[in-house]
Amino acid sequence: MRFGNTLQTSVYPPWKDHYIDYRALKKLLREHEGSEDGDDGESRPWTDEDEENFVQELINVQLDKVNSFQVETHKRLRELTAECEATLEPVATQQGETKLENVKKNEAVAQETLSKLDRITEELGELEKFSRINFTGFPVSYTHLRAHETRHDL
C-alpha cells in the first residue's frame, strides 16, 4: 500500500489537522512539472530554491507541527494521569475503612478514576499510532525528494 493511502486510513479524526501534510509535500514536488490541468505540457527545471522550499516545508513546518502536537498531547495526558493519582491517594489511605458510606464513596471514586484512566490509555494508544505513522512519513517524503532529483538528473 502506498504511504498516502496508509496515512489517510490511519488518521485519528480528532487529530486530523496535526498529521504530516503529505499531500502538500507531494504537491511541492510536482509543481514544476507543468500546470495541473496539463494544458501547457511544459515543465520548468527543478531549482535549488525548489529543493529549499521542500526541505523548509518538511522540516520547519511539518516536523514542527507534528512534534509540537505530540509533546503537548503527551504533557496533557501526563497531567491527567497525575490528577487520577491524586484522586486515588485518599482512597488508598482509607483502605481498611469499614463504614459502608465511606466504602461506597471510595468505590465510586475508584470507578470514575478507572474510567478516566481507560480514556487516557486509549488516547495514549492513538498517540503511539500518530507517532509511528508520522515517523514513517518524514523519511518517505525525503526519499521522494531524492528520487525526484534522480529522475531529473540533479
Side-chain angles (χ1 to χ4, degrees):
M1 181 181 279
R2 300 190 59 116
F3 179 75
N5 294 336
T6 302
L7 176 63
Q8 193 172 19
T9 60
S10 300
V11 167
Y12 180 51
W15 298 349
K16 66 180 169 42
D17 296 333
H18 303 285
Y19 285 80
I20 185 173
D21 191 347
Y22 187 68
R23 284 184 182 164
L25 293 168
K26 294 279 284 198
K27 184 178 177 186
L28 282 173
L29 287 175
R30 293 183 178 141
E31 274 182 350
H32 74 285
E33 293 179 351
S35 67
E36 295 213 7
D37 59 13
D39 284 346
D40 63 14
E42 294 193 24
S43 62
R44 64 177 179 78
W46 182 257
T47 65
D48 288 342
E49 184 179 344
D50 292 328
E51 181 176 0
E52 179 67 22
N53 289 340
F54 182 86
V55 171
Q56 290 298 320
E57 177 68 22
L58 180 65
I59 303 298
N60 293 338
V61 177
Q62 298 302 319
L63 184 59
D64 186 54
K65 172 180 73 173
V66 168
N67 183 60
S68 295
F69 179 75
Q70 187 169 344
V71 167
E72 290 168 14
T73 302
H74 183 267
K75 180 181 175 189
R76 181 179 55 79
L77 293 174
R78 182 64 194 118
E79 289 169 355
L80 290 172
T81 302
E83 288 173 15
C84 289
E85 290 171 357
T87 300
L88 289 175
E89 263 184 54
V91 172
T93 59
Q94 298 176 3
Q95 199 168 21
E97 183 65 50
T98 57
K99 280 180 129 178
L100 185 58
E101 177 183 315
N102 288 338
V103 169
K104 287 186 179 195
K105 179 184 170 199
N106 288 345
E107 285 177 357
V109 168
Q111 267 310 95
E112 182 180 329
T113 304
L114 182 59
S115 293
K116 288 179 183 178
L117 287 170
D118 285 343
R119 288 190 298 276
I120 292 168
T121 301
E122 289 171 13
E123 203 164 341
L124 275 171
E126 292 297 334
L127 186 60
E128 189 273 329
K129 292 178 201 172
F130 174 89
S131 299
R132 188 178 334 117
I133 194 71
N134 282 292
F135 178 78
T136 302
F138 289 101
V140 166
S141 297
Y142 184 76
T143 300
H144 282 300
L145 172 63
R146 292 297 156 227
H148 185 292
E149 289 174 340
T150 301
R151 279 194 310 272
H152 296 280
D153 297 324
L154 301 173

